[in-house]
Amino acid sequence: MTVSFDRFAAELRYEDLPEAVLWTLRRSFTDTMGVAAVGSTTPLSAIVRRTAPMIFGAGEAGAARILMDGRPVSPVGAAMAGAFTVDSIDAHDGTTPCKGHGGSALFPALIAMAQASEQPLDGKRFAEVSATGYEVAYRAGLAQHATCADYHTSGAWTAVGVAAAGAKLLGGDAEQIRQAAGIGEYHGPRSQMMRCIDHPSMVRDGVGWGAPSGVTAAYLAMEGFTGAPALTCEGEESAEFWADLGTGWRLVDHTHYKAYPCCRWAHPSLDAVHDMMRDNALHHEQIDSVEIRTFHYATRLAGQEPQTQDEFAYAIAFPVAAMIARGQVGVEELTDAALRDPDILRLSRATTLIDDPEMTRISIDKRWAQVTLVLKDGRRIEDAPRTPRGDADMPLSDAQISDKFHMLADPVIGQARADEIEALSGSFDSLSAPDLSRLLTLCSDPADRAS
């Protein structure tokens, strides 16, 4: 018999969580904080961190501190600023079937609510609410994509997961969690993802408003505000996505991690050109042009000449050109100097994206691309169609997650602080309440921009 999502959320205990769930949550915690650190250096983050204290001052719910900033605001303000900060660098964990991201909303929101809570949380409790948030968000996202014609941002369905997890964190019962999810779904941002892809800007993936919408929903539900049912959780058309709730775990099956700080749709092509350049001992000056066959949505991320970090995030041609020219796509490739690099620009302008119907047909649970390098001597080197590293069938190792975390975090917060965050987040579910508080403090202290 299928358990209802609200009962699942209310009754879930740490002892119910399989090791695979805990392993995924630990990796996501570490990975997300690395992205938060480098995200705090972006103009987008600076704007939202200035704005949050203006409009979301701390009130009776208690004070929370903005990630990598430290200023005290309300839990809603900290969730907003934190989610925008993480989302400002497109390197956080994601779910391919939902075409979006969970941790970028869930961690900023739940960290904020934990800091504001009158009852200190230990690691086991934080694991319970985090697992609830991920599982509800992912399944709501699957239901939404299956039942809505438009492609909405992650904010639309992470608002549901944050609301359910937030109400659980506040001590809500099943009915209060049910109402919170309904409020979160109704008021969550049904923003159009392809608009931001076609016209990149700072609105990004919608989590900057999905996270605070979910937090607000949780507090409203605890005060008696009603909003159920959430159709993505209780609608007849959504039932199939909840059938194995409590026995299957979408957060394990579907969570991927990014090797590069740009849209996931570029990653199979990035993996391809990295391997092709290495395996054929090629230098970027030998490359005349690049052809990328991929699925329809991805062809709308052409991005030959991005002018900002926001345009870089939603591009394929430029990151692929950077990989060819520099052999990497990391923090240095996010700089203004990299956006003006003549070697990268030459290759980016010479990259063509081809809308391939077969790639579109098969790009459902995975993202497919096939790359051909055209050399100046007339040779064509073709790679086989591939999907990106980081999915469950080709996971990044713990060592690769660690390397990525330090690549993103160390230059911003220093290696010593990064080491402590990694150690604590990598075992967060075993922490006492004081030790979890220490971890959340480390994640919320100002980023000192270490040299």
Side-chain angles (χ1 to χ4, degrees):
M1 181 178 177
T2 302
V3 63
S4 64
F5 87 95
D6 50 331
R7 276 191 53 217
F8 164 82
E11 297 173 6
L12 185 67
R13 296 294 176 262
Y14 180 78
E15 293 72 24
D16 302 324
L17 301 177
E19 178 57 31
V21 168
L22 296 170
W23 178 68
T24 303
L25 291 174
R26 294 169 194 140
R27 283 158 58 91
S28 287
F29 202 146
T30 301
D31 190 67
T32 304
M33 291 307 105
V35 181
V38 71
S40 71
T41 68
T42 64
L44 189 167
S45 176
I47 291 170
V48 297
R49 289 185 289 110
R50 288 197 306 269
T51 304
M54 298 178 191
I55 59 176
F56 289 121
E60 293 182 8
R65 299 170 72 228
I66 299 172
L67 287 181
M68 302 293 164
D69 179 280
R71 278 176 280 189
V73 291
S74 71
V76 172
M80 182 201 75
F84 268 123
T85 292
V86 175
D87 201 29
S88 68
I89 298 290
D90 204 345
H92 36 290
D93 72 3
T95 160
T96 303
C98 290
K99 299 191 284 289
H101 309 273
S104 54
L106 285 159
F107 280 108
L110 297 179
I111 288 172
M113 293 185 71
Q115 289 181 324
S117 174
E118 293 181 354
Q119 299 296 324
L121 275 70
D122 63 13
K124 290 183 178 181
R125 180 66 173 160
F126 197 79
E128 292 173 1
V129 297
S130 299
T132 297
Y134 265 95
E135 198 65 18
V136 171
Y138 278 17
R139 289 174 186 262
L142 289 168
Q144 186 188 81
H145 281 293
T147 56
C148 297
D150 201 6
Y151 171 15
H152 296 111
T153 64
S154 302
W157 45 269
T158 54
V160 182
V162 168
K168 179 181 179 69
L169 186 153
L170 294 173
D173 59 23
E175 182 58 23
Q176 289 167 316
I177 290 170
R178 178 173 178 259
Q179 298 298 336
I183 302 164
E185 180 193 76
Y186 197 86
H187 290 141
R190 292 263 176 137
S191 34
Q192 306 87 3
M193 187 70 250
M194 295 311 297
R195 194 200 89 176
C196 189
I197 286 171
D198 292 337
H199 308 284
S201 69
M202 291 183 179
V203 295
R204 294 292 187 117
D205 195 33
V207 296
W209 210 246
S213 294
V215 171
T216 301
Y219 283 103
L220 285 171
M222 296 301 292
E223 292 297 317
F225 198 97
T226 61
L231 296 181
T232 53
C233 302
E234 300 184 65
E236 184 176 338
E237 294 179 329
S238 304
E240 65 180 287
F241 302 104
W242 301 88
D244 66 341
L245 183 63
T247 57
W249 292 90
R250 295 297 92 83
L251 79 91
V252 173
D253 300 338
H254 293 168
T255 297
H256 67 239
Y257 298 94
K258 290 186 171 185
Y260 316 109
C262 59
C263 181
R264 181 75 169 169
W265 300 350
H267 287 214
S269 300
L270 286 166
D271 287 341
V273 296
H274 173 273
D275 293 351
M276 295 166 79
M277 295 294 289
R278 178 199 62 202
D279 295 346
N280 294 278
L282 296 172
H283 188 272
H284 67 83
E285 292 182 351
Q286 295 174 264
I287 309 301
D288 181 68
S289 61
V290 183
E291 298 172 2
I292 301 173
R293 292 186 176 274
T294 189
F295 56 99
H296 172 71
Y297 277 156
T299 62
R300 291 163 68 171
L301 274 74
Q304 274 83 5
E305 300 182 44
Q307 301 299 305
T308 65
Q309 292 176 345
D310 305 297
E311 292 180 4
F312 174 93
Y314 294 120
I316 293 181
F318 192 89
V320 166
M323 178 64 79
I324 294 171
R326 297 187 172 191
Q328 66 176 27
V329 176
V331 175
E332 290 301 314
E333 285 62 53
L334 298 173
T335 64
D336 290 341
L339 297 180
R340 297 189 297 270
D341 185 309
D343 292 327
I344 299 176
L345 285 168
R346 178 187 73 81
L347 292 162
S348 183
R349 292 165 182 152
T351 297
T352 301
L353 272 61
I354 301 167
D355 192 333
D356 188 295
E358 178 61 15
M359 296 288 184
T360 299
R361 185 187 71 81
I362 62 177
S363 289
I364 299 173
D365 291 334
K366 295 182 179 295
R367 302 291 173 254
W368 287 86
Q370 184 272 323
V371 177
T372 299
L373 297 179
V374 181
L375 276 57
K376 291 180 178 178
D377 63 11
R379 285 182 293 158
R380 294 173 60 87
I381 301 177
E382 296 187 4
D383 186 58
R386 64 166 77 197
T387 60
R389 293 181 297 132
D391 282 333
D393 62 338
M394 291 189 292
L396 298 185
S397 67
D398 289 346
Q400 288 171 318
I401 294 287
S402 177
D403 289 345
K404 173 189 169 185
F405 169 77
H406 285 285
M407 176 187 73
L408 299 178
D410 287 8
V412 183
I413 62 175
Q415 184 176 346
R417 179 173 160 195
D419 284 343
E420 190 173 0
I421 289 176
E422 181 183 30
L424 293 173
S425 62
S427 59
F428 81 90
D429 55 297
S430 66
L431 299 179
S432 65
D435 285 342
L436 181 67
S437 178
R438 170 63 179 168
L439 171 58
L440 304 190
T441 296
L442 288 167
C443 295
S444 303
D445 280 346
D448 293 328
R449 313 291 184 261
S451 58

